Amino acid sequence: TQLLEQSPQFLSIQEGENLTVYCNSSSVFSSLQWYRQEPGEGPVLLVTVVTGGEVKKLKRLTFQFGDARKDSSLHITAAQPGDTGLYLCAGGAPNSGYALNFGKGTSLLVTP
Amino acid sequence: GAGVSQTPSNKVTEKGKYVELRCDPISGHTALYWYRQSLGQGPEFLIYFQGTGAADDSGLPNDRFFAVRPEGSVSTLKIQRTERGDSAVYLCASSLTGGVVTEQFFGPGTRLTVL
């Protein structure tokens, strides 16, 4: 069962464009993490958000955790080809122990 | 390097065979996790070790799957009587301590193909 729904599933844009990807759930999460995964590699952590309403910035990437801690968004400004990859959100649900629940991911392609 | 390593990188086996997948975590990391990632899906949690013991094995799909970490470092995921549906990338991750807020460092995965 996928607790986290990510949208869009695929996104193809040109260099310089802005984009937002979403991670939604009907469940409350104690924290949410965003990862980026490239082909043949494991996911790499980008950010962890733990407080409802929290906004974190990582260079051109802005992450937001919803007030109710059920959703999150990732906004990329002026996308570059190096941003290409699979973006995964993962949440630690209350009472789930140490298991991370991952969404299916958003596959982003940025063309020059 | 100092990252998580997994061997083999690719494993092709026949239905019904037994396979072992190995994970070498980052030195000093007490927590180790196994995930499975099928095509077009996000990683799916299998099992979590804290030290030598399996603290949470609720994600193992059935009793054909078993994992050990006898000395609190290297871990082996064992799959008996493999089925075609077991084909996936098996990811290992480690973290300094346990917990969903701590950063998990992932290995490159083992791609298992069951013919």
Side-chain angles (χ1 to χ4, degrees):
Chain A
T1 302
Q2 211 84 37
L3 293 179
L4 289 163
E5 298 292 332
Q6 290 190 243
S7 61
Q9 190 174 354
F10 300 99
L11 191 54
S12 180
I13 61 172
Q14 290 196 319
E15 183 176 3
E17 292 184 22
N18 302 332
L19 67 117
T20 302
V21 299
Y22 300 92
C23 174
N24 296 295
S25 176
S26 58
S27 301
V28 174
F29 287 88
S30 54
S31 64
L32 270 178
Q33 298 181 329
W34 284 91
Y35 289 81
R36 190 175 89 185
Q37 185 177 22
E38 299 191 24
E41 299 182 8
V44 175
L45 180 67
L46 297 173
V47 77
T48 301
V49 286
V50 296
T51 305
E54 183 176 3
V55 177
K56 281 192 173 179
K57 292 192 175 183
L58 183 65
K59 297 183 180 178
R60 294 176 294 101
L61 278 60
T62 302
F63 305 85
Q64 185 161 8
F65 200 11
D67 291 340
R69 292 186 291 139
K70 292 184 178 182
D71 56 85
S72 181
S73 64
L74 158 60
H75 181 80
I76 302 179
T77 303
Q80 299 177 1
D83 295 328
T84 293
L86 179 68
Y87 288 82
L88 294 157
C89 66
N95 304 318
S96 72
Y98 298 93
L100 272 178
N101 298 282
F102 280 86
K104 288 186 178 182
T106 292
S107 182
L108 173 65
L109 174 64
V110 182
T111 54
Chain B
V4 177
S5 62
Q6 293 186 244
T7 54
S9 56
N10 280 284
K11 176 70 177 179
V12 180
T13 191
E14 293 180 344
K15 180 175 178 293
K17 299 290 188 183
Y18 168 83
V19 296
E20 290 189 353
L21 312 179
R22 177 188 168 107
C23 172
D24 280 87
I26 293 172
S27 177
H29 280 193
T30 63
L32 185 146
Y33 312 78
W34 284 98
Y35 294 85
R36 177 169 70 174
Q37 187 171 22
S38 300
L39 194 62
Q41 304 289 321
E44 173 191 18
F45 170 78
L46 296 177
I47 187 169
Y48 155 65
F49 286 90
Q50 181 58 50
T52 59
D56 183 354
D57 65 357
S58 62
L60 294 178
N62 51 60
D63 61 6
R64 295 187 297 106
F65 289 75
F66 188 71
V68 296
R69 195 186 185 200
E71 297 179 358
S73 178
V74 171
S75 177
T76 304
L77 179 65
K78 307 180 180 190
I79 310 174
Q80 298 178 325
R81 304 183 303 281
T82 51
E83 300 177 357
R84 292 192 180 89
D86 298 334
S87 295
V89 175
Y90 288 81
L91 294 166
C92 175
S94 70
S95 61
L96 194 58
T97 61
V100 292
V101 181
T102 56
E103 181 173 2
Q104 296 184 18
F105 295 83
F106 283 81
T110 293
R111 181 175 297 278
L112 175 66
T113 303
V114 182
L115 301 177

